[in-house]
Amino acid sequence: MAKVQSSGPLLRDLKLIELGAARTIAERLLAQLEAPTVDAAALERLASLIRYHGEEHTTLVIRTIIESDENELALIEPVISAVSQLMTVRPNWPDKGLAWIEAFDSLPLLQIVETMRSLSLFKESSLATYLTTILHNKLMPVFESPRVPSKPKRSYRRRQAGEPPPKRVRIRKKANAFGPRSPKRSAAL
């Protein structure tokens, strides 16, 4: 059986911070940023982010959430995961600096999550994934320039009463590569 070559580093090759140390760093970050108290699931997600993405990424996730208007209390697991995933998918957006955080001012994160929960369409474990999609769609107009529209659609005008129909142009079919149609076949058609 052939071995499969991986293009990226294997999990065992990553220099991961030990989980307990990552949890301690997460608690320190929350205290430094004067963040509100978080539940155990949110703390575990922050520790996981520190392990896999580093302290800088995690700090920006926390700041993005608590420093945007009306989202100080939105430091919950689905929101943390969604903001982190969005930062990973669109790394150029957080590079915009203050504009990144200001873009979240118009997004009531807790209200969006509560609406998602009330719809009973999403499993609790998949909320973050769908919230990432929502945030992406809401922030796309802010950070991406609008696409140039393609060729405009042809406009049709209505004929006036008594106006003759437009002349139709007939396109002549060319003979195929094997020559013109045989008389026998043309008669059958």
Side-chain angles (χ1 to χ4, degrees), residues 24-66:
T24 304
I25 294 170
E27 290 169 346
R28 179 179 48 80
L29 279 177
L30 290 169
Q32 284 177 349
L33 297 171
E34 299 175 3
T37 307
V38 297
D39 63 359
L43 187 61
E44 288 302 314
R45 175 57 62 199
L46 290 171
S48 177
L49 291 180
I50 289 170
R51 289 185 79 201
Y52 293 101
H53 297 285
E55 197 171 330
E56 185 178 320
H57 175 91
T58 308
T59 301
L60 187 55
V61 168
I62 296 169
R63 287 188 62 217
T64 299
I65 297 168
I66 66 172

mmCIF file of all heavy atoms in Angstrom, residues 24-66:
data_model
loop_
_atom_site.group_PDB
_atom_site.id
_atom_site.type_symbol
_atom_site.label_atom_id
_atom_site.label_comp_id
_atom_site.label_asym_id
_atom_site.label_seq_id
_atom_site.Cartn_x
_atom_site.Cartn_y
_atom_site.Cartn_z
ATOM 1 N N THR A 24 -4.402 29.092 30.298
ATOM 2 C CA THR A 24 -3.866 30.153 31.158
ATOM 3 C C THR A 24 -3.621 31.425 30.353
ATOM 4 O O THR A 24 -3.932 32.529 30.805
ATOM 5 C CB THR A 24 -2.543 29.683 31.812
ATOM 6 O OG1 THR A 24 -2.791 28.464 32.522
ATOM 7 C CG2 THR A 24 -2.002 30.718 32.766
ATOM 8 N N ILE A 25 -3.077 31.285 29.150
ATOM 9 C CA ILE A 25 -2.849 32.440 28.286
ATOM 10 C C ILE A 25 -4.180 33.093 27.914
ATOM 11 O O ILE A 25 -4.302 34.323 27.893
ATOM 12 C CB ILE A 25 -2.059 32.035 27.023
ATOM 13 C CG1 ILE A 25 -0.650 31.583 27.408
ATOM 14 C CG2 ILE A 25 -1.999 33.175 26.023
ATOM 15 C CD1 ILE A 25 0.124 30.939 26.275
ATOM 16 N N ALA A 26 -5.200 32.273 27.631
ATOM 17 C CA ALA A 26 -6.520 32.801 27.281
ATOM 18 C C ALA A 26 -7.096 33.611 28.444
ATOM 19 O O ALA A 26 -7.628 34.717 28.243
ATOM 20 C CB ALA A 26 -7.468 31.669 26.907
ATOM 21 N N GLU A 27 -6.962 33.091 29.659
ATOM 22 C CA GLU A 27 -7.458 33.821 30.833
ATOM 23 C C GLU A 27 -6.700 35.135 31.011
ATOM 24 O O GLU A 27 -7.297 36.165 31.338
ATOM 25 C CB GLU A 27 -7.328 32.952 32.083
ATOM 26 C CG GLU A 27 -8.291 31.779 32.090
ATOM 27 C CD GLU A 27 -8.001 30.764 33.179
ATOM 28 O OE1 GLU A 27 -6.891 30.809 33.784
ATOM 29 O OE2 GLU A 27 -8.868 29.905 33.418
ATOM 30 N N ARG A 28 -5.385 35.114 30.776
ATOM 31 C CA ARG A 28 -4.567 36.329 30.883
ATOM 32 C C ARG A 28 -5.005 37.351 29.831
ATOM 33 O O ARG A 28 -5.143 38.542 30.129
ATOM 34 C CB ARG A 28 -3.085 35.988 30.722
ATOM 35 C CG ARG A 28 -2.170 37.216 30.803
ATOM 36 C CD ARG A 28 -0.696 36.881 30.665
ATOM 37 N NE ARG A 28 -0.341 36.005 29.556
ATOM 38 C CZ ARG A 28 -0.211 36.416 28.290
ATOM 39 N NH1 ARG A 28 -0.424 37.673 27.963
ATOM 40 N NH2 ARG A 28 0.128 35.557 27.346
ATOM 41 N N LEU A 29 -5.230 36.898 28.600
ATOM 42 C CA LEU A 29 -5.674 37.800 27.535
ATOM 43 C C LEU A 29 -7.014 38.455 27.880
ATOM 44 O O LEU A 29 -7.202 39.659 27.676
ATOM 45 C CB LEU A 29 -5.824 37.048 26.214
ATOM 46 C CG LEU A 29 -4.578 36.797 25.395
ATOM 47 C CD1 LEU A 29 -4.914 35.974 24.163
ATOM 48 C CD2 LEU A 29 -3.923 38.095 24.986
ATOM 49 N N LEU A 30 -7.934 37.655 28.386
ATOM 50 C CA LEU A 30 -9.247 38.191 28.754
ATOM 51 C C LEU A 30 -9.109 39.249 29.839
ATOM 52 O O LEU A 30 -9.781 40.291 29.789
ATOM 53 C CB LEU A 30 -10.173 37.062 29.211
ATOM 54 C CG LEU A 30 -10.629 36.092 28.119
ATOM 55 C CD1 LEU A 30 -11.322 34.879 28.725
ATOM 56 C CD2 LEU A 30 -11.543 36.795 27.131
ATOM 57 N N ALA A 31 -8.228 39.015 30.808
ATOM 58 C CA ALA A 31 -8.016 39.990 31.883
ATOM 59 C C ALA A 31 -7.358 41.257 31.337
ATOM 60 O O ALA A 31 -7.761 42.376 31.685
ATOM 61 C CB ALA A 31 -7.158 39.383 32.987
ATOM 62 N N GLN A 32 -6.353 41.106 30.481
ATOM 63 C CA GLN A 32 -5.675 42.271 29.907
ATOM 64 C C GLN A 32 -6.615 43.126 29.072
ATOM 65 O O GLN A 32 -6.528 44.353 29.086
ATOM 66 C CB GLN A 32 -4.511 41.826 29.006
ATOM 67 C CG GLN A 32 -3.289 41.369 29.749
ATOM 68 C CD GLN A 32 -2.208 40.865 28.789
ATOM 69 O OE1 GLN A 32 -2.445 40.678 27.598
ATOM 70 N NE2 GLN A 32 -1.016 40.623 29.336
ATOM 71 N N LEU A 33 -7.503 42.492 28.334
ATOM 72 C CA LEU A 33 -8.416 43.223 27.455
ATOM 73 C C LEU A 33 -9.694 43.654 28.171
ATOM 74 O O LEU A 33 -10.585 44.226 27.546
ATOM 75 C CB LEU A 33 -8.764 42.360 26.235
ATOM 76 C CG LEU A 33 -7.586 42.013 25.328
ATOM 77 C CD1 LEU A 33 -7.988 40.992 24.280
ATOM 78 C CD2 LEU A 33 -7.043 43.270 24.668
ATOM 79 N N GLU A 34 -9.759 43.370 29.476
ATOM 80 C CA GLU A 34 -10.915 43.718 30.301
ATOM 81 C C GLU A 34 -12.215 43.194 29.693
ATOM 82 O O GLU A 34 -13.230 43.897 29.630
ATOM 83 C CB GLU A 34 -10.980 45.231 30.519
ATOM 84 C CG GLU A 34 -9.759 45.769 31.236
ATOM 85 C CD GLU A 34 -9.761 47.289 31.348
ATOM 86 O OE1 GLU A 34 -10.754 47.930 30.908
ATOM 87 O OE2 GLU A 34 -8.782 47.820 31.869
ATOM 88 N N ALA A 35 -12.151 41.967 29.243
ATOM 89 C CA ALA A 35 -13.306 41.313 28.638
ATOM 90 C C ALA A 35 -14.249 40.812 29.720
ATOM 91 O O ALA A 35 -13.824 40.527 30.843
ATOM 92 C CB ALA A 35 -12.846 40.145 27.767
ATOM 93 N N PRO A 36 -15.528 40.712 29.406
ATOM 94 C CA PRO A 36 -16.472 40.152 30.383
ATOM 95 C C PRO A 36 -16.165 38.672 30.631
ATOM 96 O O PRO A 36 -15.453 38.032 29.868
ATOM 97 C CB PRO A 36 -17.834 40.335 29.720
ATOM 98 C CG PRO A 36 -17.548 40.486 28.276
ATOM 99 C CD PRO A 36 -16.182 41.084 28.157
ATOM 100 N N THR A 37 -16.715 38.147 31.688
ATOM 101 C CA THR A 37 -16.531 36.742 32.037
ATOM 102 C C THR A 37 -17.117 35.867 30.929
ATOM 103 O O THR A 37 -18.184 36.162 30.396
ATOM 104 C CB THR A 37 -17.241 36.421 33.366
ATOM 105 O OG1 THR A 37 -16.800 37.356 34.344
ATOM 106 C CG2 THR A 37 -16.935 35.018 33.833
ATOM 107 N N VAL A 38 -16.404 34.793 30.604
ATOM 108 C CA VAL A 38 -16.876 33.886 29.559
ATOM 109 C C VAL A 38 -17.173 32.525 30.159
ATOM 110 O O VAL A 38 -16.648 32.167 31.218
ATOM 111 C CB VAL A 38 -15.843 33.746 28.411
ATOM 112 C CG1 VAL A 38 -15.619 35.077 27.723
ATOM 113 C CG2 VAL A 38 -14.531 33.170 28.904
ATOM 114 N N ASP A 39 -18.003 31.757 29.456
ATOM 115 C CA ASP A 39 -18.320 30.416 29.932
ATOM 116 C C ASP A 39 -17.196 29.441 29.559
ATOM 117 O O ASP A 39 -16.247 29.804 28.859
ATOM 118 C CB ASP A 39 -19.674 29.948 29.403
ATOM 119 C CG ASP A 39 -19.719 29.825 27.891
ATOM 120 O OD1 ASP A 39 -18.711 30.124 27.223
ATOM 121 O OD2 ASP A 39 -20.781 29.434 27.372
ATOM 122 N N ALA A 40 -17.316 28.207 30.017
ATOM 123 C CA ALA A 40 -16.259 27.199 29.812
ATOM 124 C C ALA A 40 -16.051 26.884 28.333
ATOM 125 O O ALA A 40 -14.909 26.723 27.884
ATOM 126 C CB ALA A 40 -16.605 25.924 30.583
ATOM 127 N N ALA A 41 -17.128 26.825 27.557
ATOM 128 C CA ALA A 41 -17.000 26.507 26.125
ATOM 129 C C ALA A 41 -16.232 27.605 25.391
ATOM 130 O O ALA A 41 -15.391 27.321 24.535
ATOM 131 C CB ALA A 41 -18.378 26.311 25.499
ATOM 132 N N ALA A 42 -16.510 28.851 25.739
ATOM 133 C CA ALA A 42 -15.807 29.975 25.105
ATOM 134 C C ALA A 42 -14.332 29.964 25.500
ATOM 135 O O ALA A 42 -13.456 30.205 24.656
ATOM 136 C CB ALA A 42 -16.452 31.296 25.494
ATOM 137 N N LEU A 43 -14.047 29.677 26.750
ATOM 138 C CA LEU A 43 -12.658 29.625 27.211
ATOM 139 C C LEU A 43 -11.896 28.496 26.508
ATOM 140 O O LEU A 43 -10.740 28.678 26.094
ATOM 141 C CB LEU A 43 -12.602 29.448 28.728
ATOM 142 C CG LEU A 43 -11.216 29.545 29.352
ATOM 143 C CD1 LEU A 43 -10.592 30.913 29.108
ATOM 144 C CD2 LEU A 43 -11.289 29.266 30.850
ATOM 145 N N GLU A 44 -12.542 27.354 26.325
ATOM 146 C CA GLU A 44 -11.905 26.245 25.621
ATOM 147 C C GLU A 44 -11.636 26.607 24.157
ATOM 148 O O GLU A 44 -10.601 26.259 23.596
ATOM 149 C CB GLU A 44 -12.777 24.978 25.695
ATOM 150 C CG GLU A 44 -12.812 24.341 27.062
ATOM 151 C CD GLU A 44 -11.429 23.956 27.579
ATOM 152 O OE1 GLU A 44 -10.638 23.357 26.820
ATOM 153 O OE2 GLU A 44 -11.143 24.260 28.752
ATOM 154 N N ARG A 45 -12.589 27.304 23.530
ATOM 155 C CA ARG A 45 -12.391 27.715 22.135
ATOM 156 C C ARG A 45 -11.226 28.707 22.041
ATOM 157 O O ARG A 45 -10.409 28.617 21.129
ATOM 158 C CB ARG A 45 -13.678 28.335 21.583
ATOM 159 C CG ARG A 45 -13.544 28.906 20.186
ATOM 160 C CD ARG A 45 -13.061 27.903 19.163
ATOM 161 N NE ARG A 45 -14.004 26.829 19.064
ATOM 162 C CZ ARG A 45 -13.732 25.631 18.542
ATOM 163 N NH1 ARG A 45 -12.545 25.377 18.067
ATOM 164 N NH2 ARG A 45 -14.635 24.688 18.500
ATOM 165 N N LEU A 46 -11.137 29.643 22.978
ATOM 166 C CA LEU A 46 -10.022 30.600 22.972
ATOM 167 C C LEU A 46 -8.691 29.880 23.169
ATOM 168 O O LEU A 46 -7.698 30.194 22.498
ATOM 169 C CB LEU A 46 -10.223 31.666 24.053
ATOM 170 C CG LEU A 46 -11.362 32.659 23.796
ATOM 171 C CD1 LEU A 46 -11.600 33.515 25.038
ATOM 172 C CD2 LEU A 46 -11.069 33.525 22.592
ATOM 173 N N ALA A 47 -8.658 28.895 24.070
ATOM 174 C CA ALA A 47 -7.431 28.112 24.285
ATOM 175 C C ALA A 47 -7.056 27.358 23.013
ATOM 176 O O ALA A 47 -5.873 27.291 22.643
ATOM 177 C CB ALA A 47 -7.617 27.143 25.455
ATOM 178 N N SER A 48 -8.041 26.825 22.328
ATOM 179 C CA SER A 48 -7.786 26.111 21.075
ATOM 180 C C SER A 48 -7.238 27.060 20.012
ATOM 181 O O SER A 48 -6.319 26.704 19.261
ATOM 182 C CB SER A 48 -9.076 25.453 20.599
ATOM 183 O OG SER A 48 -8.883 24.818 19.373
ATOM 184 N N LEU A 49 -7.788 28.264 19.946
ATOM 185 C CA LEU A 49 -7.286 29.252 18.987
ATOM 186 C C LEU A 49 -5.832 29.615 19.285
ATOM 187 O O LEU A 49 -5.026 29.780 18.363
ATOM 188 C CB LEU A 49 -8.145 30.513 19.011
ATOM 189 C CG LEU A 49 -9.566 30.394 18.461
ATOM 190 C CD1 LEU A 49 -10.282 31.732 18.559
ATOM 191 C CD2 LEU A 49 -9.558 29.892 17.039
ATOM 192 N N ILE A 50 -5.518 29.747 20.553
ATOM 193 C CA ILE A 50 -4.134 30.054 20.933
ATOM 194 C C ILE A 50 -3.217 28.916 20.503
ATOM 195 O O ILE A 50 -2.130 29.150 19.962
ATOM 196 C CB ILE A 50 -4.030 30.324 22.448
ATOM 197 C CG1 ILE A 50 -4.698 31.670 22.770
ATOM 198 C CG2 ILE A 50 -2.577 30.312 22.911
ATOM 199 C CD1 ILE A 50 -4.882 31.948 24.225
ATOM 200 N N ARG A 51 -3.658 27.691 20.702
ATOM 201 C CA ARG A 51 -2.827 26.543 20.312
ATOM 202 C C ARG A 51 -2.571 26.490 18.816
ATOM 203 O O ARG A 51 -1.469 26.209 18.373
ATOM 204 C CB ARG A 51 -3.500 25.223 20.729
ATOM 205 C CG ARG A 51 -3.496 24.987 22.215
ATOM 206 C CD ARG A 51 -4.043 23.633 22.562
ATOM 207 N NE ARG A 51 -2.984 22.636 22.326
ATOM 208 C CZ ARG A 51 -3.221 21.361 22.150
ATOM 209 N NH1 ARG A 51 -4.442 20.901 22.143
ATOM 210 N NH2 ARG A 51 -2.223 20.524 21.967
ATOM 211 N N TYR A 52 -3.595 26.724 18.010
ATOM 212 C CA TYR A 52 -3.479 26.512 16.567
ATOM 213 C C TYR A 52 -3.184 27.768 15.757
ATOM 214 O O TYR A 52 -2.643 27.674 14.667
ATOM 215 C CB TYR A 52 -4.751 25.842 16.029
ATOM 216 C CG TYR A 52 -4.896 24.437 16.540
ATOM 217 C CD1 TYR A 52 -5.755 24.146 17.592
ATOM 218 C CD2 TYR A 52 -4.137 23.404 16.009
ATOM 219 C CE1 TYR A 52 -5.871 22.853 18.075
ATOM 220 C CE2 TYR A 52 -4.247 22.115 16.490
ATOM 221 C CZ TYR A 52 -5.117 21.849 17.518
ATOM 222 O OH TYR A 52 -5.225 20.571 18.004
ATOM 223 N N HIS A 53 -3.588 28.950 16.268
ATOM 224 C CA HIS A 53 -3.401 30.175 15.499
ATOM 225 C C HIS A 53 -2.499 31.195 16.182
ATOM 226 O O HIS A 53 -2.090 32.162 15.561
ATOM 227 C CB HIS A 53 -4.757 30.829 15.197
ATOM 228 C CG HIS A 53 -5.648 29.990 14.350
ATOM 229 N ND1 HIS A 53 -5.450 29.832 12.994
ATOM 230 C CD2 HIS A 53 -6.735 29.250 14.666
ATOM 231 C CE1 HIS A 53 -6.389 29.027 12.517
ATOM 232 N NE2 HIS A 53 -7.172 28.662 13.503
ATOM 233 N N GLY A 54 -2.251 31.013 17.459
ATOM 234 C CA GLY A 54 -1.359 31.919 18.162
ATOM 235 C C GLY A 54 -2.085 32.985 18.963
ATOM 236 O O GLY A 54 -3.289 33.204 18.832
ATOM 237 N N GLU A 55 -1.292 33.654 19.782
ATOM 238 C CA GLU A 55 -1.827 34.654 20.697
ATOM 239 C C GLU A 55 -2.306 35.913 19.956
ATOM 240 O O GLU A 55 -3.318 36.508 20.316
ATOM 241 C CB GLU A 55 -0.739 35.019 21.711
ATOM 242 C CG GLU A 55 -1.235 35.712 22.931
ATOM 243 C CD GLU A 55 -0.158 35.846 24.001
ATOM 244 O OE1 GLU A 55 0.740 34.983 24.085
ATOM 245 O OE2 GLU A 55 -0.243 36.838 24.748
ATOM 246 N N GLU A 56 -1.584 36.295 18.914
ATOM 247 C CA GLU A 56 -1.950 37.507 18.165
ATOM 248 C C GLU A 56 -3.324 37.352 17.496
ATOM 249 O O GLU A 56 -4.168 38.245 17.574
ATOM 250 C CB GLU A 56 -0.878 37.794 17.113
ATOM 251 C CG GLU A 56 -1.093 39.076 16.360
ATOM 252 C CD GLU A 56 0.035 39.332 15.363
ATOM 253 O OE1 GLU A 56 1.203 39.075 15.689
ATOM 254 O OE2 GLU A 56 -0.301 39.794 14.259
ATOM 255 N N HIS A 57 -3.539 36.225 16.861
ATOM 256 C CA HIS A 57 -4.827 35.941 16.206
ATOM 257 C C HIS A 57 -5.949 35.963 17.241
ATOM 258 O O HIS A 57 -7.002 36.579 17.015
ATOM 259 C CB HIS A 57 -4.741 34.571 15.519
ATOM 260 C CG HIS A 57 -6.030 34.101 14.913
ATOM 261 N ND1 HIS A 57 -6.377 34.374 13.609
ATOM 262 C CD2 HIS A 57 -7.053 33.368 15.429
ATOM 263 C CE1 HIS A 57 -7.553 33.822 13.346
ATOM 264 N NE2 HIS A 57 -7.979 33.208 14.446
ATOM 265 N N THR A 58 -5.725 35.300 18.366
ATOM 266 C CA THR A 58 -6.749 35.207 19.407
ATOM 267 C C THR A 58 -7.053 36.576 19.995
ATOM 268 O O THR A 58 -8.213 36.902 20.248
ATOM 269 C CB THR A 58 -6.301 34.227 20.506
ATOM 270 O OG1 THR A 58 -5.927 32.992 19.884
ATOM 271 C CG2 THR A 58 -7.405 33.962 21.504
ATOM 272 N N THR A 59 -6.017 37.386 20.188
ATOM 273 C CA THR A 59 -6.223 38.742 20.712
ATOM 274 C C THR A 59 -7.099 39.551 19.766
ATOM 275 O O THR A 59 -8.028 40.245 20.199
ATOM 276 C CB THR A 59 -4.868 39.458 20.901
ATOM 277 O OG1 THR A 59 -4.070 38.698 21.801
ATOM 278 C CG2 THR A 59 -5.052 40.869 21.449
ATOM 279 N N LEU A 60 -6.849 39.446 18.468
ATOM 280 C CA LEU A 60 -7.651 40.183 17.497
ATOM 281 C C LEU A 60 -9.092 39.678 17.461
ATOM 282 O O LEU A 60 -10.028 40.468 17.306
ATOM 283 C CB LEU A 60 -7.020 40.122 16.110
ATOM 284 C CG LEU A 60 -7.679 40.988 15.035
ATOM 285 C CD1 LEU A 60 -7.773 42.447 15.472
ATOM 286 C CD2 LEU A 60 -6.932 40.878 13.733
ATOM 287 N N VAL A 61 -9.297 38.382 17.636
ATOM 288 C CA VAL A 61 -10.662 37.834 17.691
ATOM 289 C C VAL A 61 -11.409 38.451 18.874
ATOM 290 O O VAL A 61 -12.539 38.939 18.720
ATOM 291 C CB VAL A 61 -10.644 36.292 17.806
ATOM 292 C CG1 VAL A 61 -12.028 35.750 18.146
ATOM 293 C CG2 VAL A 61 -10.131 35.655 16.535
ATOM 294 N N ILE A 62 -10.770 38.454 20.037
ATOM 295 C CA ILE A 62 -11.417 39.006 21.240
ATOM 296 C C ILE A 62 -11.700 40.495 21.048
ATOM 297 O O ILE A 62 -12.811 40.967 21.314
ATOM 298 C CB ILE A 62 -10.537 38.768 22.490
ATOM 299 C CG1 ILE A 62 -10.390 37.270 22.766
ATOM 300 C CG2 ILE A 62 -11.129 39.483 23.707
ATOM 301 C CD1 ILE A 62 -9.341 36.932 23.812
ATOM 302 N N ARG A 63 -10.711 41.240 20.588
ATOM 303 C CA ARG A 63 -10.883 42.678 20.390
ATOM 304 C C ARG A 63 -11.976 42.975 19.372
ATOM 305 O O ARG A 63 -12.757 43.907 19.544
ATOM 306 C CB ARG A 63 -9.567 43.324 19.953
ATOM 307 C CG ARG A 63 -8.553 43.417 21.068
ATOM 308 C CD ARG A 63 -7.342 44.231 20.685
ATOM 309 N NE ARG A 63 -7.766 45.598 20.380
ATOM 310 C CZ ARG A 63 -7.230 46.346 19.425
ATOM 311 N NH1 ARG A 63 -6.244 45.873 18.678
ATOM 312 N NH2 ARG A 63 -7.648 47.567 19.214
ATOM 313 N N THR A 64 -12.029 42.204 18.299
ATOM 314 C CA THR A 64 -13.053 42.413 17.278
ATOM 315 C C THR A 64 -14.440 42.303 17.885
ATOM 316 O O THR A 64 -15.323 43.109 17.579
ATOM 317 C CB THR A 64 -12.898 41.378 16.137
ATOM 318 O OG1 THR A 64 -11.617 41.550 15.532
ATOM 319 C CG2 THR A 64 -13.979 41.532 15.093
ATOM 320 N N ILE A 65 -14.617 41.344 18.751
ATOM 321 C CA ILE A 65 -15.948 41.124 19.332
ATOM 322 C C ILE A 65 -16.266 42.160 20.412
ATOM 323 O O ILE A 65 -17.303 42.819 20.349
ATOM 324 C CB ILE A 65 -16.054 39.688 19.904
ATOM 325 C CG1 ILE A 65 -15.902 38.672 18.769
ATOM 326 C CG2 ILE A 65 -17.372 39.498 20.652
ATOM 327 C CD1 ILE A 65 -15.700 37.247 19.230
ATOM 328 N N ILE A 66 -15.387 42.336 21.385
ATOM 329 C CA ILE A 66 -15.755 43.186 22.531
ATOM 330 C C ILE A 66 -15.631 44.678 22.250
ATOM 331 O O ILE A 66 -16.254 45.479 22.943
ATOM 332 C CB ILE A 66 -14.947 42.816 23.800
ATOM 333 C CG1 ILE A 66 -13.464 43.116 23.640
ATOM 334 C CG2 ILE A 66 -15.205 41.380 24.201
ATOM 335 C CD1 ILE A 66 -12.657 42.958 24.913
#
